[in-house]
Structures are given as structure tokens and as C-alpha cells.
Amino acid sequence: MYAALFILLLLALVSMLLCRSRRKKIICRIRDMDKCEKCSLLEELAEPFGYVYHCCCGFFSSAMDAWQKSAGYTRLYDYMASRFQMVFDSLPVYFNYRDRTWLIEFWKGQYGINTGAEIGIYHADRLLSEAEYRTAHFEAAGKEEMLSCSMQLCTEGGACVKISERHWWLTAFMPGVFSRPSSLCLKAAICFGGREMMEAFYQGLCRAGYPAECITVQNLCLSFTLHGPGPAPAHYSFLTRFHRRLSQCLNRMYCRLFLWVTRPFTCTEDRILFLYYYLPFCFRRLMRLRRFHRRCHRKCGCRRPKCCRGKSGSRCSEYSRRPRGGKQS
């Protein structure tokens, strides 16, 4: 019995020494890499998940040809989000334009260990009644239908991220930052190709509950700011409220754990690469920003590409950022 206990203690000691040695080698390896090499590697790791890494600002956004485009959008995604550690406030804007019902939706909140925001542009294949909004499937805007969008997301702790691009799904995610969705401030602007579409969106935004006097229109560009839970706060069921609170508790814990594990470094690139080399399975999980259960995609006839299914051999990543000068809540 004592011999078995001694062997177990010896094995534990050897394992600790090996892990310590491996950790030191990884730290040295990352410190020997230059910034361009780090950014190039992160872009390569993020690509299979449909994201792009912005090296100059240290955040991730969605790629133009992201695999999520084939999934489109349905309210089921938002309904299931809290079951997968995504807790956000949303503002869906429905409007009719050229014999189709369009949806431009805005999100801001916590995506796992990432604070982020999204602007999605979708449309149905026909005109829908209001009763169909919650069950209809919307397709992502095509190449000729994309709009020039910009957004600035600011947290209560002082971290900010800004991005502007012609896109169908504009996103920005700051890893290692924990926030309550209601504490985030999202400034959004969209430039339309014609006045008819802009006026249709304007009317839809007013119907969604946003006050008309707070909307700014300049030429064909419309901008507004989304504070708190939005103009028409959602009323969640007891089960959904439970999932949201549980997910936020887990998100806060995972965020602190991420910062603790990657504590040898302070900048985003180093933290993520350290996680990639040291704990690959955590790295893959980190990169699944907009992730859903398989059944959600099956219901919409979409399947993730093989490279994004979290196999041990896939090269996956998630980006992370700690606000400079801001506090982690």
C-alpha cells in the first residue's frame, strides 16, 4: 500500500515538473516570435471558424465568407443562445423593401469569455406578416445586397472597439473582458444604397420602439446609440432567465480563469497563442464565438464545415483582449 502511494506521489511530481518545463518552453517560444509572425498565425487559426483577427487593434470579427452565412438567421438562434454561454441584448428591426421582408438586427453582450457586438443583415424570400417573424428563416444578404456598416462598442470598464466595413454580418469580439449586456453602449451606423430602403428601415426602427428624436440621418446614412437593454426590453421566461444568470456566472469564472492561466503575458496575441500551445482544447472552445448545438443548424438545413467541428486535429483559435487601463468586472 505504501509502495503504491509512493509511486503515485512520484508520478504526480514528475508530471508537475514536465508541465512546468513545457510551460517555460512555450513562454520562450512565444517571446521569440515577432509581432507579424504572431498575427499571421492567429489569422490562420481563426480562419476555419469564420473569423478574422485584427492585429492592429487586437480583436476578432467575422469574415466575409464565414461559414455562418449559409445558416442564415432564425429566432431559434437567439432563443438557444443562453444555453451556450451567450448572453446578450438584441434589437431586431423588420421592414419591407422590394417585395421582401428584411431584418437588420443588432446584438451586444457576453459571448463566453468575450464581450462583443454584432450587426446582421438578412432578408426573407417574400413579404411576411408580423406573426411569421418569429418562425421565418432569413437568408444572409448577398454580395450586391450588403451594406456599409460601422459600430463602436464601449464597456463600463473603459474598453472600446470600433470597426467599419461593407458586410452582411459585422462583428467585434474582445476576449478576456466580462460585461453585463445592459452596461454596454453600442453606437451603430448604416449607409443605404437608396432613400427608399433607408426610410423603410427608419420606420421599422421606430416600430421596434426606438425614439425617433434619437435617430440621426445624414444623406443616406442612419446612426443611433443603443444603451441598456434596448428600447423594448425582452421579457424572458423563468427558464431563460435561469440560463442567462447561470451562463453569466460561468462566463465570469471562465474569463478570470483565462486571465489567470495566461498571466505570463499581457497582450492579446501572446495570451491566445499561449493558450493554443498550452491548452489546445481550451483554445478551440474559446474560438467558438457564435456557437450553437448541432440540432439548431440541422433545423435550418445548415451544417458546419468539418474544419470547424472541434476535432483534435483542426487548427482552431479564439481571440482575446484585455482592456488597457480598464478593470475586469
Side-chain angles (χ1 to χ4, degrees):
M1 177 179 176
Y2 290 108
L5 182 60
F6 175 77
I7 292 173
L8 288 175
L9 291 174
L10 183 62
L11 289 174
L13 180 61
V14 171
S15 299
M16 287 176 61
L17 292 174
L18 289 174
C19 287
R20 185 177 179 84
S21 174
R22 177 171 171 265
R23 184 171 178 270
K24 285 185 176 180
K25 288 181 180 179
I26 292 172
I27 292 173
C28 292
R29 179 178 184 178
I30 294 174
R31 285 176 176 167
D32 289 341
M33 298 170 66
D34 58 39
K35 189 174 180 66
C36 291
E37 189 178 358
K38 294 175 185 176
C39 294
S40 177
L41 179 57
L42 282 174
E43 288 177 1
E44 182 182 352
L45 294 172
E47 183 181 2
F49 286 94
Y51 296 103
V52 176
Y53 180 70
H54 296 261
C55 192
C56 58
C57 304
F59 69 90
F60 280 91
S61 67
S62 51
M64 193 71 67
D65 58 347
W67 67 268
Q68 292 90 338
K69 187 172 186 177
S70 61
Y73 171 82
T74 177
R75 286 296 294 271
L76 176 65
Y77 293 165
D78 285 358
Y79 176 76
M80 295 295 294
S82 60
R83 278 74 168 172
F84 300 95
Q85 283 73 63
M86 292 179 288
V87 181
F88 46 67
D89 293 328
S90 61
L91 175 62
V93 180
Y94 300 91
F95 61 97
N96 295 330
Y97 173 69
R98 292 190 177 178
D99 299 324
R100 287 189 296 192
T101 296
W102 288 70
L103 167 64
I104 299 181
E105 187 159 0
F106 305 84
W107 297 267
K108 62 180 179 71
Q110 192 68 24
Y111 300 76
I113 68 165
N114 310 274
T115 289
E118 311 170 71
I119 300 177
I121 303 171
Y122 308 91
H123 62 73
D125 56 0
R126 58 184 175 84
L127 291 175
L128 303 175
S129 64
E130 290 189 17
E132 295 177 291
Y133 289 170
R134 289 183 171 272
T135 57
H137 179 264
F138 292 83
E139 299 176 359
K143 185 176 181 181
E144 302 300 324
E145 301 167 328
M146 294 187 295
L147 302 174
S148 296
C149 308
S150 66
M151 64 180 181
Q152 179 177 334
L153 179 69
C154 295
T155 70
E156 200 173 27
C160 285
V161 61
K162 186 175 182 179
I163 184 171
S164 179
E165 193 174 349
R166 179 180 170 84
H167 219 294
W168 62 273
W169 181 42
L170 188 68
T171 63
F173 300 100
M174 299 183 289
V177 182
F178 178 81
S179 305
R180 292 178 294 106
S182 60
S183 69
L184 298 173
C185 176
L186 175 63
K187 298 179 181 179
I190 301 179
C191 294
F192 296 88
R195 182 160 295 276
E196 182 185 357
M197 187 176 189
M198 186 196 70
E199 290 179 351
F201 174 78
Y202 177 88
Q203 296 298 326
L205 186 58
C206 292
R207 285 195 300 271
Y210 199 88
E213 61 272 15
C214 296
I215 303 173
T216 302
V217 178
Q218 186 175 9
N219 296 327
L220 295 178
C221 294
L222 185 150
S223 60
F224 66 97
T225 302
L226 192 59
H227 293 284
H235 298 285
Y236 301 108
S237 66
F238 172 80
L239 186 60
T240 301
R241 290 199 305 271
F242 169 78
H243 280 299
R244 285 172 66 91
R245 290 176 182 175
L246 177 61
S247 292
Q248 279 295 73
C249 289
L250 292 174
N251 290 338
R252 184 193 293 269
M253 181 184 69
Y254 291 148
C255 187
R256 289 177 177 175
L257 188 60
F258 167 76
L259 295 175
W260 182 80
V261 169
T262 61
R263 65 190 181 282
F265 302 100
T266 56
C267 72
T268 302
E269 295 86 0
D270 294 344
R271 286 182 181 274
I272 298 175
L273 287 175
F274 177 77
L275 196 67
Y276 170 68
Y277 288 121
Y278 192 57
L279 298 171
F281 66 94
C282 292
F283 180 78
R284 289 192 293 270
R285 183 175 180 84
L286 176 69
M287 200 53 212
R288 295 167 191 164
L289 300 167
R290 259 291 197 176
R291 62 188 185 277
F292 301 98
H293 195 273
R294 238 176 260 168
R295 66 174 176 267
C296 297
H297 292 289
R298 285 201 193 114
K299 286 185 179 182
C300 296
C302 170
R303 290 180 180 271
R304 293 176 293 170
K306 291 181 179 179
C307 60
C308 297
R309 292 180 188 169
K311 291 185 178 180
S312 58
S314 64
R315 305 192 68 183
C316 312
S317 153
E318 177 174 313
Y319 112 97
S320 161
R321 174 186 174 190
R322 184 176 184 177
R324 297 171 184 170
K327 63 180 180 180
Q328 299 295 327
S329 57

